[in-house]
Amino acid sequence: WSRHIFYYFRVYYNKNNWRVKCVPITLGSKKYRRGFPKELLGLKDEKLCKKSGIEDLVFIHATGFMAVGKTFKSIINLINLT
């Protein structure tokens, strides 16, 4: 499991939140090895939590390259949606 997560995503803690970035297919590419569900892109706070069914998510960037959650569990649950 952990080998695969780092092939597709980079998870780290930064300024009181957990963050996850999608790994691009090639350096500088805007296409990712695996991305977040399109219907969640650009959502934040309550709207994102309700639509995803995951508590403690903060936002997913509109282009889908990164997401932020209040807890590690929320980030892992988001990754599991992909």
Side-chain angles (χ1 to χ4, degrees):
W1 177 84
S2 64
R3 255 187 268 157
H4 298 291
I5 192 171
F6 295 114
Y7 180 76
Y8 296 112
F9 302 101
R10 298 289 184 253
V11 177
Y12 59 99
Y13 187 77
N14 186 15
K15 297 181 182 178
N16 301 320
N17 287 307
W18 285 91
R19 297 176 183 242
V20 57
K21 286 188 177 180
C22 298
V23 174
I25 293 171
T26 60
L27 189 61
S29 174
K30 299 290 184 193
K31 292 184 180 181
Y32 306 105
R33 293 178 181 173
R34 185 171 290 170
F36 305 117
K38 292 189 186 311
E39 65 272 11
L40 300 179
L41 301 184
L43 297 181
K44 63 181 183 176
D45 301 322
E46 284 184 40
K47 223 175 190 178
L48 174 58
C49 293
K50 187 174 182 176
K51 186 135 186 167
S52 68
I54 300 170
E55 293 181 25
D56 296 327
L57 287 176
V58 177
F59 84 95
I60 299 178
H61 194 275
T63 62
F65 83 96
M66 64 136 358
V68 177
K70 294 177 185 174
T71 63
F72 180 72
K73 181 180 178 181
S74 64
I75 293 298
I76 295 304
N77 288 337
L78 176 60
I79 289 169
N80 285 332
L81 289 180
T82 65

